[in-house]
Amino acid sequence: MSRRLELRQVSKRFGDIDVLAGITLHVEPGEFVSILGPSGAGKSTIFKLLTGGLEGYGGGVDFDGRPLADARRPFAFMPQHDALMPWRTVIDNTALGLEVQGMSRKAARDKVAPLFGEFGLAGFEQRYPAQLSGGMRQRAALLRTVVQDRAMLLLDEPFGALDALTRTGMQRWLAMMWDRHRWTVLLITHDVREAVFLSDRIYVLSSRPARVLREIAIPLPRPRTDLVSPEASAIEADILDTLLDPQPAQRT
Amino acid sequence: MSQSFSAAPRIAALFAKIGPALLSVGTLVLAWELYARISGISPTTLPAPSRILAQAIQQRQALFDNTVPTTSATLVGFACSLAVAFLLSVLIDFFKPLRRALFPVFIISQTLPLVAIAPLVILWFGFGLTPKIMLVALVTFFPMLVALVQGYESTDRDISALLSSMGASRMRIFLLARLPSSLPYFFAGLRISITYAVVGAIFAEYAGAAKGLGIYMLNAKNNFRPDLVLAAVLISALLTLALFAATVLIQRAAMPWERLDAARKS
């Protein structure tokens, strides 16, 4: 079986600033992979490359064994802030991707409506985003993402803007949802605990220009319910060492 | 925010909203009335508000006949201005260099003194409705264009990025995101422009017209009837207030989510 997504030595410059310096990573079908790195490292640049928001980069990107350019919009993207449209009701926000795909508004609504219960949004279909809590907004944004039925989800720091308690709740909820659906996910985050808790594998990126410092497999059993098991804490400490002291030679 | 459905608190809330305005206007009118009566100033110089009101009621038919053309010049002129401003704003949004080419021309158009340009437009286009429409459009077009162009640019970058990741065309992004994002700016521009529009129409009539509040004011002034001039001013103020209120009501109907935002922020 070919890899779902493969980046080979991908590099990107903005003017004379190197942002990505030869990123090599891959994601298998049904795998949850995280890209973990400091803020401003260029993590979001990788997503912009993938979703076609940027032209001109070095290296190669394959999707299902073929060049990405040949794939037809294989990603469903969830941006950093929920990007819900304040003028659309929750149901029309979640149906947005389907409408853009050419589905009629009625058909798109009919397709998302049955999922509101599972996403904890039942009864809020006709509300506006301003009437939702932060956690509900993120669940609506995730529903908008997954309902597009794309081969792979790209989640860009989905819980970054939430308060700590809501974030923890959302992380557990996402882990539960992933166990049920086994989406292929590439997650960007700077939250080490979140990456360890959710991922099968983690790529640790350096600060700019971004390189892959380490690739770490997370062998913790699933379903995971506990964010702070002793095993998870050990992996977390190890990753933090890498991030905070990236030069192995200087380590004592 | 507590919701109440009984009438008394709602009337109280309404009064809390408009009470201060009523108080300030009332005080001003009262002071004027007292001054006019006590100082013994001639009514042909400064008529008292009571006299203006009495004359307005007496002349109501003439005032009404002259308000109709002013209102239609305002509304037709403003509608034309809106249509052109909208079309151009879309063109500018899709073709950015157009902005640099056209904005200087429009900015210059805003520096033209109405006093100089109005008689010329009347000279060129006659005493009919056309020159009024043009002058109303001249004063309202640019504020509306700026509001729309700025509104499109206020679109959340995340929303644009999301839509293009979904494969939306430029046109789709405009319709789904940029156009709705411009609504608050559009209505802010609308509220300012609608007040300019009435002034523009009256000025156009002042420069030459068969009928209208502007020409009515000019005739009243020439007949030494400041009371009738001010009665016409009162009508134009009421007309402006009514149009302003209409824009507020339209905005509420067009943007039901906005009140929720306001409620959340308070």
Side-chain angles (χ1 to χ4, degrees):
Chain A
M1 197 188 220
S2 65
R3 285 170 169 173
R4 175 119 300 167
L5 177 72
E6 182 162 28
L7 275 68
R8 280 174 279 102
Q9 290 298 319
V10 169
S11 59
K12 175 71 191 171
R13 292 171 71 88
F14 289 110
D16 51 4
I17 300 166
D18 271 318
V19 179
L20 305 177
I23 301 285
T24 297
L25 58 82
H26 69 272
V27 182
E28 304 287 347
E31 199 182 17
F32 196 122
V33 175
S34 291
I35 297 176
L36 182 63
S39 298
K43 302 188 293 291
S44 297
T45 307
I46 297 174
F47 277 9
K48 275 189 198 143
L49 287 175
L50 294 178
T51 55
L54 281 179
E55 298 291 314
Y57 55 90
V61 181
D62 283 357
F63 193 87
D64 282 341
R66 288 156 64 195
L68 180 64
D70 297 352
R72 295 204 52 207
R73 305 219 163 262
F75 305 112
F77 169 57
M78 177 170 169
Q80 234 170 62
H81 306 285
D82 52 53
L84 294 173
M85 296 174 166
W87 56 84
R88 281 186 163 229
T89 56
V90 177
I91 192 159
D92 286 341
N93 261 296
T94 54
L96 181 69
L98 299 172
E99 270 185 64
V100 171
Q101 283 174 29
M103 210 180 264
S104 74
R105 189 173 277 202
K106 167 94 175 59
R109 280 178 182 165
D110 289 346
K111 187 173 172 188
V112 287
L115 299 169
F116 267 65
E118 195 186 353
F119 279 73
L121 294 165
F124 287 85
E125 289 85 347
Q126 300 307 322
R127 301 290 184 92
Y128 287 101
Q131 293 170 294
L132 301 191
S133 69
M136 293 179 93
R137 291 178 68 110
Q138 292 301 326
R139 288 203 293 271
L142 188 70
L143 175 52
R144 178 188 62 198
T145 314
V146 302
V147 79
Q148 296 173 49
D149 278 337
R150 302 293 189 187
M152 188 171 168
L153 309 182
L154 303 178
L155 312 181
D156 189 353
E157 292 187 21
F159 311 133
L162 300 175
D163 64 90
L165 199 60
T166 310
R167 189 187 313 144
T168 307
M170 288 298 292
Q171 287 161 348
R172 296 171 93 152
W173 177 80
L174 182 59
M176 188 265 291
M177 291 294 277
W178 187 84
D179 279 325
R180 203 182 292 168
H181 297 274
R182 298 280 164 164
W183 301 303
T184 307
V185 178
L186 187 57
L187 169 82
I188 284 178
T189 184
H190 55 235
D191 182 334
V192 180
R193 185 165 296 172
E194 176 174 289
V196 172
F197 177 63
L198 290 169
S199 312
D200 297 313
R201 278 186 306 120
I202 299 175
Y203 289 95
V204 181
L205 258 54
S206 68
S207 55
R208 215 165 58 197
R211 297 170 289 114
V212 175
L213 290 175
R214 283 176 72 185
E215 178 190 340
I216 301 165
I218 311 293
L220 301 176
R222 291 185 187 268
R224 298 173 188 166
T225 47
D226 205 354
L227 260 116
V228 281
S229 65
E231 299 86 346
S233 299
I235 302 170
E236 245 180 75
D238 186 25
I239 294 174
L240 276 171
D241 267 352
T242 307
L243 276 170
L244 299 176
D245 188 12
Q247 308 298 316
Q250 289 167 8
R251 240 186 266 170
T252 50
Chain B
M1 229 181 61
S2 68
Q3 297 254 322
S4 78
F5 295 97
S6 58
R10 291 181 68 183
I11 290 169
L14 183 71
F15 192 76
K17 251 186 197 171
I18 62 167
L22 286 179
L23 201 68
S24 62
V25 172
T27 309
L28 215 63
V29 171
L30 198 68
W32 178 359
E33 180 77 37
L34 285 174
Y35 177 78
R37 284 181 184 224
I38 293 165
S39 69
I41 192 168
S42 154
T44 53
T45 308
L46 181 71
S50 55
R51 185 186 165 90
I52 295 168
L53 198 65
Q55 288 300 313
I57 290 164
Q58 205 176 18
Q59 298 285 325
R60 61 186 180 275
Q61 190 58 48
L63 279 168
F64 178 79
D65 290 345
N66 285 288
T67 304
V68 173
T70 307
T71 310
S72 61
T74 303
L75 291 178
V76 176
F78 197 55
C80 291
S81 162
L82 268 186
V84 178
F86 176 70
L87 281 177
L88 261 176
S89 73
V90 176
L91 282 176
I92 286 173
D93 197 57
F94 278 82
F95 190 62
K96 297 283 189 297
L98 210 57
R99 178 181 179 153
R100 243 162 280 158
L102 293 180
F103 265 40
V105 179
F106 298 138
I107 292 168
I108 292 167
S109 82
Q110 295 305 291
T111 67
L112 299 176
L114 215 51
V115 192
I117 205 76
L120 288 177
V121 176
I122 305 284
L123 183 70
W124 298 329
F125 297 98
F127 286 84
L129 196 59
T130 317
K132 277 95 190 168
I133 291 169
M134 294 180 78
L135 286 164
V136 170
L138 178 75
V139 294
T140 58
F141 164 75
F142 189 62
M144 286 316 302
L145 180 70
V146 171
L148 283 166
V149 169
Q150 218 175 355
Y152 302 147
E153 267 154 32
S154 74
T155 308
D156 184 346
R157 279 162 184 267
D158 275 342
I159 291 180
S160 305
L162 175 72
L163 282 168
S164 52
S165 85
M166 289 170 170
S169 65
R170 189 119 186 252
M171 187 52 126
R172 267 330 262 293
I173 295 177
F174 179 81
L175 291 173
L176 287 170
R178 296 181 79 80
L179 196 59
S181 297
S182 75
L183 280 176
Y185 291 77
F186 170 78
F187 280 109
L190 196 67
R191 282 200 295 273
I192 296 170
S193 297
I194 199 79
T195 61
Y196 292 175
V198 179
V199 176
I202 288 176
F203 205 95
E205 290 163 356
Y206 205 86
K211 249 185 163 82
L213 285 175
I215 197 72
Y216 184 87
M217 286 174 197
L218 183 67
N219 290 336
K221 189 209 81 171
N222 289 340
N223 293 326
F224 305 103
R225 290 297 301 274
D227 50 347
L228 291 180
V229 175
L230 289 169
V233 168
L234 177 69
I235 302 290
S236 78
L238 292 176
L239 178 61
T240 309
L241 281 174
L243 291 173
F244 191 91
T247 64
V248 173
L249 290 179
I250 293 169
Q251 180 171 15
R252 280 198 181 179
M255 303 175 66
W257 63 90
E258 232 220 351
R259 274 178 291 166
L260 302 169
D261 273 349
R264 200 172 58 137
K265 276 167 195 151
S266 67

